[in-house]
């Protein structure tokens, strides 16, 4: 037989081996004048392995662990040898067909090593799955289903895992530099992208912060209240991920920027907040919410002295189940009273009274954790923040919980910087898509009116649907349950006393000149929408519409239509993507869809599938003539997936041996059963002492004799 290239030889012998039922091993070759003159291909069971000495010692004298590798070779003589002729073609000069072992049965042929390869389809699926936070095992399961069986995937799960492992090894030393290069590339595409980083004396990345144009625009509109959370699981290098989160006009969590920090020292957080302010044009938020971190608290006091600092309610309240006994953990009366005290107190005296009552009734007066939380009550209890604009937006646990759920999609300890960035980019697109969908609904649908009042119709057009829903609740309660009990006038101020369903009387002080008033319930200050009492006063004053002074721009449907620029004059908006790239992606997507349509059309008959297969086979040669011949190796595939070149010389190194305060453990819900450590969730086992299945063993058995 005559072959044009060695690749043709290898394909022929492997195809032959697959049909027969054995695997091929590529053997030695002889070169001359930079050409391969002779090449050998063996049965994979040819020859014998060299015997390894068990428990061999290394140079230091320590015993080296040896793995128990299964023997596969049995001295089989089957092989072929090809030689390059004068016509530059290869011919078989030697071939042994007989094997000294049995062949693999047809149902196991797909497991033959030489016939397994990670196909382009498998690579594409693997890369896309990892971008969507779907691991290699699940990617392989998807291939198994989509390809119609394991035998059609072309590789094993281990092959796929090894392929991705090779990628991680390839980028290991260059990971930090590639991450910084990704940020730099973002800035080259859009000058409004902001990032800064720091390296230590050894060139290791220790701090990095970034915020893209949309983040900076969002901060310009929604930067009055910001949440900073440093309790997330660290990355592969044990660095802390610290995201900044705000609340948009649809009451959704919105990403404002993030950082990786090598440690949690005061100087690291000082750098973080200084860099954050620099990115946001020097404008500080009105309120910042954080976890209980002393270093962060000190940094905020230094860099943001005029910003109100509040501890996150979610992190504090979710720790309560760990601080009380099992009986209280399941006591609904305790939870009802505690939540009413924490969330429902309307002044400091009421909170203190209810708190002391709960501590006394449930025997928690000596509990150190509850005592320490009471001592810092002005840092986290909502009643102490009623006078701070929009402080109520972060009042519900769902705010921090939703942000936590979002970030946990792409954060865990095994991720490198580059892997993190791929997942993060995908997750951020998903978050922004949700805002886009909410914008579309608010702009092109109309909510149902509950009253004939003109002010309800007015606000349904101005507010987003989510904010309007909150306002509508106030309108309905104002109509059904609020009554003006008395009016007192003093110069330009009118004082209205309003009774409501709760039985509490509220006082609204209304300025007669501009019709702007303040209510003792302070809902407007906390949430930025008029309360039921103010609405009732406006009705009493014959005001058909809500004065513009009550309408906060951040809640308007079109609040982001205005153009925003940074201090360098860069437009804070996402740059349009390269039209050629967009067109190419669209063509690829449509081609896949058309191909899938053809498969669905043809699969019902064997004749249809034969026609489709032959038609596709006939496309290969003309397509090869159109497409320039390029050799794509593993590194090219990896760089295409990562969207960045893997450097050969590294100046910015990944961190190592970093010590932080540790990974934050997942906080259990109040009603969630305890598992793992602890007496309630501890796995029972049989004690060798008392022969009982219990929570103890022979070492701490109650039957042990003391003394």
């Amino acid at each position: 037989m005559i072959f044009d290239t060695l690749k043709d030889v290898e394909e022929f012998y492997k195809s032959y081996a697959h049909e027969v039922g054995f695997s091929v091993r590529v053997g030695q070759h002889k070169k001359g004048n930079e050409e391969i003159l002779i090449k050998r291909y063996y049965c994979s069971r040819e020859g014998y392995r060299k015997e390894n000495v068990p428990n061999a010692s290394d140079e230091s004298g320590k015993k080296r662990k040896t793995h128990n590798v299964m023997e596969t070779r049995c001295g089989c003589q089957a092989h072929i040898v090809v030689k390059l002729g004068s016509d530059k073609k290869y011919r078989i000069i030697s071939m042994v067909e007989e094997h000294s072992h049995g062949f693999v049965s047809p149902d196991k042929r797909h497991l033959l090593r030489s016939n397994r390869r990670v196909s382009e389809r498998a690579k594409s699926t693997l890369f896309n799955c990892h971008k969507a936070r779907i691991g290699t095992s699940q990617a392989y399961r998807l291939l198994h289903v989509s390809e119609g069986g394991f035998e059609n995937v072309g590789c094993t799960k281990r092959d796929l895992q090894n392929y991705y492992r090779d990628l991680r090894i390839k980028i290991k030393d260059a990971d930090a530099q590639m991450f910084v290069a990704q940020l730099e590339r973002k800035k080259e595409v859009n000058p409004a992208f902001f990032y800064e980083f720091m390296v230590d004396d050894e060139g290791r990345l220790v701090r990095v912060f970034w915020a893209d144009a949309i983040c900076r625009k969002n901060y310009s509109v929604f930067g009055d209240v910001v949440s900073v959370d440093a309790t997330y699981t660290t990355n592969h290098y044990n660095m802390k991920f610290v995201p900044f989160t705000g609340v948009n006009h649809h009451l959704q969590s919105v990403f404002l920027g993030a950082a990786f920090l090598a440690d949690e020292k005061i100087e690291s957080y000082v750098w973080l907040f200084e860099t954050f302010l620099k990115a946001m044009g020097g404008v500080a938020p009105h309120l910042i919410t954080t976890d209980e971190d002393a270093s962060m608290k000190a940094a905020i006091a230094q860099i943001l002295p005029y910003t109100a600092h509040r501890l996150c309610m979610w992190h504090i309240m979710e720790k309560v189940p760990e601080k009380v006994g099992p009986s209280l953990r399941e006591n609904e009366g305790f939870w009802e009273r505690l939540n009413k005290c924490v969330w429902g107190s309307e002044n400091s005296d009421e909170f203190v009274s209810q708190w002391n009552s709960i501590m006394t009734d449930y025997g928690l007066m000596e509990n150190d954790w509850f005592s320490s939380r009471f001592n810092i009550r002005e840092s986290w209890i909502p009643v102490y923040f009623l006078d701070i604009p929009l402080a109520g937006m972060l009042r519900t646990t769902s705010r921090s919980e939703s942000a936590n759920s979002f970030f946990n999609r792409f954060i865990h300890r095994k991720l490198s910087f580059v892997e993190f960035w791929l997942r993060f980019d995908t997750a951020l697109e998903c978050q922004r898509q949700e805002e886009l969908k909410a914008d579309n609904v608010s702009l092109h649908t109309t909510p149902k009116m509950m009253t004939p009042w003109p002010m309800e119709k007015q606000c349904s057009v101005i507010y987003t649907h989510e904010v309007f829903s909150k306002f509508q609740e106030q309108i309905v309660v104002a109509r059904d349950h609020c009554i003006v009990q008395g009016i007192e006038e003093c110069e330009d101020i009118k004082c209205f006393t309003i009774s409501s369903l709760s039985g509490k009387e509220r006082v609204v002080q209304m300025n007669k000149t501009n019709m702007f008033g303040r209510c003792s319930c302070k809902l407007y200050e906390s949430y930025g929408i008029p309360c039921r009492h103010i609405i009732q006063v406006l009705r009493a004053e014959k005001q058909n519409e809500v004065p513009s002074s009550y309408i906060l721009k951040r809640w308007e449907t079109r609040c982001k239509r205005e153009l925003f620029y940074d201090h360098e004059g860069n437009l804070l908006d996402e740059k349009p993507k390269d039209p050629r790239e967009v067109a190419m992606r669209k063509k690829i997507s449509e081609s896949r869809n058309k191909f899938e349509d053809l498969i669905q059309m043809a699969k019902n008959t064997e004749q249809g599938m034969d026609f489709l297969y032959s038609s596709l086979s006939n496309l290969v040669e003309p397509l090869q003539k159109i497409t320039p011949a390029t050799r794509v190796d593993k590194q090219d595939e990896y760089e295409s997936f990562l969207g960045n070149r893997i450097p050969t010389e590294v100046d910015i190194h990944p961190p190592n041996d970093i010590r932080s305060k540790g990974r934050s453990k997942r906080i259990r819900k109040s009603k969630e059963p305890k598992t793992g450590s602890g007496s309630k969730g501890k796995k029972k086992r049989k004690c060798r002492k008392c022969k009982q299945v219990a929570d103890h063993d022979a070492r701490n058995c109650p039957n042990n004799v003391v003394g």
Side-chain angles (χ1 to χ4, degrees):
M1 296 185 69
I2 301 174
F3 304 93
D4 292 330
T5 64
L6 287 174
K7 182 180 178 182
D8 295 335
V9 178
E10 189 174 329
E11 287 181 357
F12 159 75
Y13 198 49
K14 285 184 176 180
S15 177
Y16 164 76
H18 180 73
E19 292 300 319
V20 174
F22 69 94
S23 190
V24 173
R25 190 173 82 252
V26 179
Q28 307 93 331
H29 63 259
K30 181 180 178 182
K31 294 184 74 173
N33 297 325
E34 299 302 319
E35 289 183 315
I36 295 178
L37 303 178
I38 298 176
K39 184 77 173 178
R40 293 174 173 81
Y41 299 89
Y42 302 110
C43 168
S44 63
R45 304 192 69 178
E46 178 270 343
Y48 296 95
R49 287 189 183 275
K50 292 181 180 179
E51 291 189 10
N52 292 325
V53 180
N55 297 325
S57 300
D58 57 21
E59 295 177 357
S60 63
K62 294 182 179 179
K63 287 187 176 180
R64 188 173 65 249
K65 185 178 179 181
T66 58
H67 297 283
N68 185 19
V69 180
M70 296 293 180
E71 182 57 69
T72 57
R73 301 191 187 183
C74 63
C76 180
Q77 296 295 318
H79 71 273
I80 65 169
V81 181
V82 295
K83 183 178 181 180
L84 183 66
S86 58
D87 56 357
K88 302 300 180 183
K89 296 183 183 297
Y90 290 93
R91 291 172 173 80
I92 297 176
I93 60 172
S94 174
M95 180 172 183
V96 175
E97 294 186 58
E98 293 77 18
H99 294 259
S100 59
H101 55 86
F103 295 126
V104 169
S105 60
D107 62 328
K108 300 182 185 68
R109 286 176 184 169
H110 65 284
L111 300 175
L112 290 170
R113 186 171 181 177
S114 64
N115 290 97
R116 302 197 315 257
R117 72 179 188 91
V118 181
S119 65
E120 295 302 318
R121 161 82 167 162
K123 293 171 188 174
S124 176
T125 301
L126 174 68
F127 292 152
N128 289 334
C129 283
H130 272 278
K131 286 182 180 179
R133 200 183 180 269
I134 299 173
T136 307
S137 295
Q138 289 173 302
Y140 187 75
R141 196 181 310 160
L142 176 62
L143 282 167
H144 159 228
V145 174
S146 63
E147 299 301 314
F150 291 114
E151 65 276 9
N152 299 324
V153 175
C155 64
T156 63
K157 182 171 72 172
R158 175 59 64 189
D159 294 331
L160 206 62
Q161 290 170 334
N162 289 344
Y163 183 83
Y164 195 75
R165 175 208 62 197
D166 292 344
L167 180 147
R168 290 176 63 90
I169 293 172
K170 191 74 177 177
I171 65 174
K172 181 179 178 181
D173 296 327
D175 185 32
Q177 183 156 317
M178 289 180 68
F179 180 51
V180 173
Q182 288 275 22
L183 301 179
E184 178 59 28
R185 226 182 75 171
K186 285 276 189 181
K187 188 168 182 63
E188 288 174 359
V189 173
N190 188 349
F193 185 93
F194 178 93
Y195 81 97
E196 280 197 4
F197 69 96
M198 281 186 64
V199 295
D200 61 14
D201 295 337
E202 297 178 349
R204 301 194 179 279
L205 185 67
V206 291
R207 298 170 189 166
V208 58
F209 171 87
W210 72 94
D212 65 14
I214 298 298
C215 292
R216 300 172 76 189
K217 181 177 181 178
N218 283 336
Y219 185 80
S220 299
V221 184
F222 311 120
D224 34 27
V225 179
V226 175
S227 174
V228 184
D229 196 340
T231 64
Y232 290 100
T233 302
T234 54
N235 69 351
H236 181 65
Y237 310 104
N238 213 23
M239 295 183 81
K240 279 290 181 182
F241 175 64
V242 188
F244 290 74
T245 306
V247 181
N248 71 4
H249 51 321
H250 298 291
L251 304 179
Q252 299 168 331
S253 294
V254 59
F255 178 73
L256 301 175
F260 276 116
L261 300 177
D263 58 58
E264 297 163 274
K265 298 177 181 178
I266 294 176
E267 51 265 34
S268 293
Y269 284 123
V270 166
W271 178 89
L272 174 62
F273 291 117
E274 285 179 339
T275 308
F276 177 76
L277 283 181
K278 183 179 177 181
M280 304 308 171
V283 180
H286 297 149
L287 174 71
I288 189 166
T289 302
T290 72
D291 55 276
E292 296 179 81
D293 188 287
S295 298
M296 192 183 294
K297 181 179 179 181
I300 290 173
Q302 182 178 334
I303 306 302
L304 303 170
Y306 303 110
T307 297
H309 180 202
R310 177 176 161 187
L311 301 180
C312 179
M313 291 286 295
W314 184 67
H315 286 104
I316 293 176
M317 290 299 289
E318 289 296 296
K319 290 177 183 175
V320 172
E322 299 178 2
K323 309 302 178 180
V324 298
S327 58
L328 281 187
R329 198 178 297 136
E330 306 298 328
N331 189 323
E332 293 188 5
F334 166 73
W335 286 104
E336 184 178 347
R337 288 183 61 183
L338 182 64
N339 286 324
K340 182 180 179 182
C341 169
V342 170
W343 302 111
S345 299
E346 296 191 358
N347 56 65
S348 58
D349 292 338
E350 182 181 341
F351 166 75
V352 171
S353 174
Q354 290 191 38
W355 180 276
N356 289 335
S357 175
I358 293 170
M359 297 299 108
T360 302
D361 292 349
Y362 293 101
L364 298 172
M365 293 298 291
E366 303 302 321
N367 187 298
D368 293 338
W369 186 83
F370 280 97
S371 298
S372 63
R373 297 290 81 75
F374 180 76
N375 292 336
I376 61 169
R377 59 189 179 280
E378 294 183 4
S379 298
W380 65 284
I381 295 298
V383 71
Y384 293 97
F385 294 87
L386 292 179
D387 292 322
I388 298 174
L390 303 177
M393 285 198 302
L394 297 178
R395 184 175 174 180
T396 61
T397 58
S398 60
R399 175 63 49 215
S400 293
E401 193 169 8
S402 64
N404 189 278
S405 173
F406 168 71
F407 290 120
N408 278 334
R409 296 179 196 174
F410 53 87
I411 291 292
H412 63 72
R413 293 184 69 85
K414 293 183 180 180
L415 287 184
S416 64
F417 286 125
V418 174
E419 292 175 293
F420 159 84
W421 184 256
L422 291 169
R423 296 187 177 198
F424 168 80
D425 219 21
T426 303
L428 195 56
E429 285 182 6
C430 292
Q431 186 189 75
R432 289 172 178 172
Q433 178 67 15
E434 291 304 309
E435 181 179 313
L436 198 68
K437 286 161 60 178
D439 278 339
N440 183 61
V441 171
S442 287
L443 283 168
H444 302 294
T445 62
T446 304
K448 181 181 178 182
M449 298 297 105
M450 303 296 290
T451 72
W453 295 358
M455 64 176 64
E456 184 184 14
K457 181 67 176 177
Q458 169 206 3
C459 290
S460 72
V461 177
I462 297 173
Y463 288 145
T464 62
H465 286 0
E466 292 77 14
V467 175
F468 174 71
S469 176
K470 303 292 183 184
F471 174 76
Q472 193 175 52
E473 290 176 11
Q474 299 300 317
I475 280 232
V476 171
V477 176
R479 179 195 65 184
D480 296 342
H481 303 293
C482 292
I483 301 171
V484 177
Q485 295 290 354
I487 304 175
E488 295 182 4
E489 293 192 41
C490 180
E491 296 181 354
D492 291 337
I493 302 297
K494 262 189 177 183
C495 292
F496 294 79
T497 302
I498 310 293
S499 64
S500 62
L501 186 65
S502 66
K504 295 182 179 180
E505 290 188 344
R506 306 293 184 182
V507 176
V508 178
Q509 294 183 332
M510 181 69 71
N511 188 310
K512 292 187 290 184
T513 305
N514 57 15
M515 297 308 296
F516 184 81
R518 301 280 184 180
C519 179
S520 59
C521 77
K522 296 187 178 180
L523 181 81
Y524 177 74
E525 287 78 3
S526 293
Y527 286 94
I529 58 173
C531 65
R532 60 197 71 178
H533 316 106
I534 289 176
I535 291 171
Q536 188 66 355
V537 168
L538 291 173
R539 291 275 300 167
E541 291 294 293
K542 304 290 192 289
Q543 296 291 316
N544 291 325
E545 293 191 344
V546 176
S548 59
S549 53
Y550 280 110
I551 308 293
L552 294 188
K553 185 173 182 178
R554 70 167 347 273
W555 296 137
E556 295 181 14
T557 303
R558 301 177 183 273
C559 66
K560 295 178 70 174
R561 289 295 179 92
E562 183 182 336
L563 298 179
F564 294 87
Y565 298 86
D566 65 11
H567 66 283
E568 295 178 350
N570 298 312
L571 178 65
L572 296 180
D573 214 340
E574 196 64 44
K575 288 280 186 182
K577 295 180 180 177
D578 184 348
R580 289 175 297 180
E581 183 184 352
V582 172
M584 179 60 74
R585 287 187 178 183
K586 185 176 181 182
K587 287 177 182 177
I588 292 172
S589 175
E590 290 180 351
S591 297
R592 282 176 177 158
N593 290 335
K594 284 183 179 179
F595 182 56
E596 189 62 38
D597 291 341
L598 290 173
I599 291 176
Q600 295 300 321
M601 191 187 306
K603 72 176 185 180
N604 295 321
T605 64
E606 187 174 349
Q607 183 181 1
M609 283 307 303
D610 289 342
F611 174 76
L612 179 59
Y613 183 79
S614 62
S615 299
L616 288 171
S617 299
N618 293 333
L619 290 175
V620 175
E621 188 174 341
L623 192 59
Q624 286 176 337
K625 293 179 180 179
I626 298 172
T627 307
T630 54
R631 182 176 176 274
V632 179
D633 57 17
K634 261 189 180 183
Q635 178 152 330
D636 295 327
E637 293 170 353
Y638 293 154
E639 290 178 346
S640 176
F641 165 55
L642 300 172
N644 200 5
R645 188 181 64 84
I646 301 174
T648 53
E649 295 184 6
V650 178
D651 300 317
I652 303 172
H653 302 278
N656 63 351
D657 298 328
I658 285 173
R659 297 289 181 265
S660 73
K661 294 178 183 176
R663 169 181 177 172
S664 62
K665 59 184 176 181
R666 190 179 71 84
I667 302 172
R668 278 190 301 274
K669 306 295 182 191
S670 58
K671 302 297 175 68
E672 186 177 349
K674 194 173 182 180
T675 58
S677 61
S679 59
K680 188 173 179 181
K682 192 173 180 179
K683 185 178 179 180
K684 295 182 183 297
R685 52 188 173 181
K686 188 174 181 179
C687 174
R688 288 183 286 108
K689 194 81 170 179
C690 64
K691 310 300 182 185
Q692 300 294 317
V693 177
D695 293 328
H696 63 264
D697 57 20
R699 294 171 299 173
N700 50 21
C701 179
N703 292 348
N704 287 340
V705 179
V706 180

